[in-house]
Amino acid sequence: MPARYDGLTFLEMKQMLWSAMREAFPTVGADKTAMETYLRVANAEVDARLSYSMGTYSTVTVADQSSYTLYDAPAQVLYVTLDGALLAHVSFQQLLEHKGTYDGSGTPSMWARFGADLYLQPAPETAGKAIVVYMYQGPPLLSADADVPAVPAQYHHAIVTCALSHLLNDIPGQENKASLYQQKFEAELAPLLSLGEIHREPQRIEPRREK
């Protein structure tokens, strides 16, 4: 029975990228720190394209409280539901303007994010209503040599290909070669793009009383 494939470590991906660059440009030195940056950017891009590091926060309304703290704040809040109903997303400034015309409580119809806080408007008049925040958290940062990307192992090579495409695109005169690697990257990534699964376990938002 063949050994289980656990994918590529950060060190192995750096070695692959270094080898590809040495083969293409044998007389040009490579900045290994820059290569790490290209791989981190590529890892985030692949993760986002696959919608992989997604999940939910959930809590319940507290009567007359409009703000709720997003602990371990996500990179991006995608949408928010209240008892299963989708709330409208507005900018924080728009929410403040609406609050200026109606500062009472009621059934929230909109949400905005400011920093680590989620705001509902109007403030809920009823406690115990389910709030679910759907978010894109972003992948863990590749740091140690033994770190492994969160996406499935069969797509780790796509991270290296993506990094190589970006790296070549930043080298004058290598735009055509960069385009070829970009096409290869798209082909490597395509099989998983249609899954659209949520992989992160739900995490709770703790209600926070306004001061």
Side-chain angles (χ1 to χ4, degrees), residues 14 17 30-41 163 167:
K14 286 189 286 186
L17 189 57
D31 185 338
K32 293 186 178 181
T33 300
M35 286 191 173
E36 291 183 351
T37 300
Y38 280 108
L39 283 168
R40 291 188 182 108
V41 170
L167 197 159

Side-chain angles (χ1 to χ4, degrees), residues 83 110 166 175 187 189 196 208:
D83 264 7
M110 64 185 71
H166 289 319
E175 292 82 4
L189 203 60
R208 184 196 60 158

Side-chain angles (χ1 to χ4, degrees), residues 143-192:
S143 180
D145 283 345
D147 286 349
V148 176
V151 296
Q154 62 266 39
Y155 296 94
H156 291 182
H157 283 87
I159 296 173
V160 179
T161 305
C162 180
L164 187 55
S165 172
H166 289 319
L167 197 159
L168 289 169
N169 196 56
D170 288 341
I171 299 176
Q174 298 302 315
E175 292 82 4
N176 289 340
K177 187 175 289 187
S179 179
L180 291 175
Y181 276 100
Q182 179 65 27
Q183 293 173 24
K184 183 181 181 209
F185 164 63
E186 297 292 346
E188 291 174 344
L189 203 60
L192 197 59

Side-chain angles (χ1 to χ4, degrees), residues 64-67 99 119 123 208-211:
D64 301 320
Q65 176 180 310
S66 64
S67 67
K99 188 177 179 71
Y119 289 82
R208 184 196 60 158
R209 292 285 182 184
E210 289 187 329
K211 297 180 180 179

Side-chain angles (χ1 to χ4, degrees), residues 5 8 60 78 94 98 103 110 120 135 139 149 176 187-188 190:
Y5 175 52
L8 299 172
V60 295
L78 302 174
Q94 289 172 319
H98 188 276
D103 197 20
M110 64 185 71
L120 304 181
M135 53 81 175
N176 289 340
E188 291 174 344

Side-chain angles (χ1 to χ4, degrees), residues 88-97 110-114:
H89 178 211
V90 298
S91 70
F92 186 62
Q93 182 60 39
Q94 289 172 319
L95 185 138
L96 291 178
E97 290 172 358
M110 64 185 71
W111 68 272
R113 178 185 179 182
F114 185 76

